[in-house]
Amino acid sequence: MVSPEKIAAKEKFLLFLEGKNLRITSQRQAIIDTVFTTEEHFTAEQLLEWSRQKDQSVSRATVYRTLPLLTESGLVREMDFGKDYKFYDPNYAEHPNHSHIVCQDCEKIVEFESDKIVKLEDEISAKLGFSVKSQRLQITGTCDKLKKAGTCQNKCS
Ligand SMILES: [Zn+2]
Ligand SMILES: [Zn+2]
């Protein structure tokens, strides 16, 4: 089930493209449909693979050209975990205040939200005379599976 927020986010993105006079080609449509129907954080290569399941003709170049538009629109956020590639998060339209904890080895990403964090940010920024525009909290660690088994599914090397 695709949430109403995701459907609204997709509409917003289509308007964003229209505002830039960009054509919505069938390739681009497949990419957009993919992004706004998943809850999972993805890499460019994953997006390419998923989009190709909808439309075989989707090219890597189109994916790489569409990603900056997605982040520029503010509907998808780029996430840097210090790897050679970035992750993209499609969930900000629904959960603008969520944070992440990431396994450094298997790249498992878990989202969490906490009123306490929001409160703390408000307190700190008020004290310093700022108002919060955006926040980004990222915790890296090793997941339970790794701790228990000494390895986890995607552990590199
Ligand atoms: Zn997220
Ligand atoms: Zn792990």
Side-chain angles (χ1 to χ4, degrees):
M1 252 307 283
V2 181
S3 71
E5 287 90 349
K6 278 249 184 325
I7 294 166
K10 179 167 141 182
E11 288 303 313
K12 266 193 208 163
F13 186 64
L14 292 172
L15 285 173
F16 172 84
L17 292 180
E18 213 178 281
K20 286 184 164 292
N21 284 319
L22 289 169
R23 252 173 7 105
I24 301 168
T25 58
S26 64
Q27 278 195 45
R28 195 157 258 162
Q29 186 69 54
I31 296 167
I32 294 166
D33 287 343
T34 303
V35 168
F36 293 104
T37 49
T38 186
E39 311 251 300
E40 276 184 65
H41 307 75
F42 52 82
T43 62
E45 289 302 312
Q46 267 163 347
L47 180 57
L48 175 65
E49 197 185 309
W50 296 345
S51 302
R52 276 188 178 159
Q53 286 167 14
K54 291 190 195 289
D55 182 345
Q56 270 299 323
S57 73
V58 172
S59 72
R60 181 170 276 111
T62 308
V63 168
Y64 278 87
R65 272 200 304 268
T66 305
L67 279 168
L69 293 165
L70 284 159
T71 53
E72 192 191 326
S73 74
L75 296 161
V76 170
R77 231 192 251 190
E78 190 181 270
M79 300 164 71
D80 191 340
F81 298 144
K83 306 262 176 181
D84 297 341
Y85 41 86
K86 306 274 196 280
F87 280 82
Y88 296 87
D89 187 338
N91 300 333
Y92 276 98
E94 286 155 286
H95 308 287
N97 288 319
H98 78 264
S99 303
H100 300 100
I101 185 156
V102 188
C103 175
Q104 273 191 310
D105 296 294
C106 69
E107 297 177 348
K108 176 179 172 172
I109 300 169
V110 181
E111 298 189 334
F112 64 93
E113 255 177 293
S114 161
D115 292 342
K116 280 189 197 155
I117 294 172
V118 176
K119 245 177 119 182
L120 186 64
E121 282 165 1
D122 285 345
E123 273 173 35
I124 292 170
S125 43
K127 214 190 227 170
L128 299 174
F130 283 72
S131 45
V132 179
K133 274 255 159 62
S134 68
Q135 55 81 251
R136 193 173 293 219
L137 175 65
Q138 206 163 274
I139 302 171
T140 49
T142 47
C143 72
D144 248 7
K145 212 170 161 188
L146 180 77
K147 253 186 285 175
K148 280 186 196 127
T151 181
C152 57
Q153 215 174 3
N154 302 313
K155 185 170 163 56
C156 31
S157 85

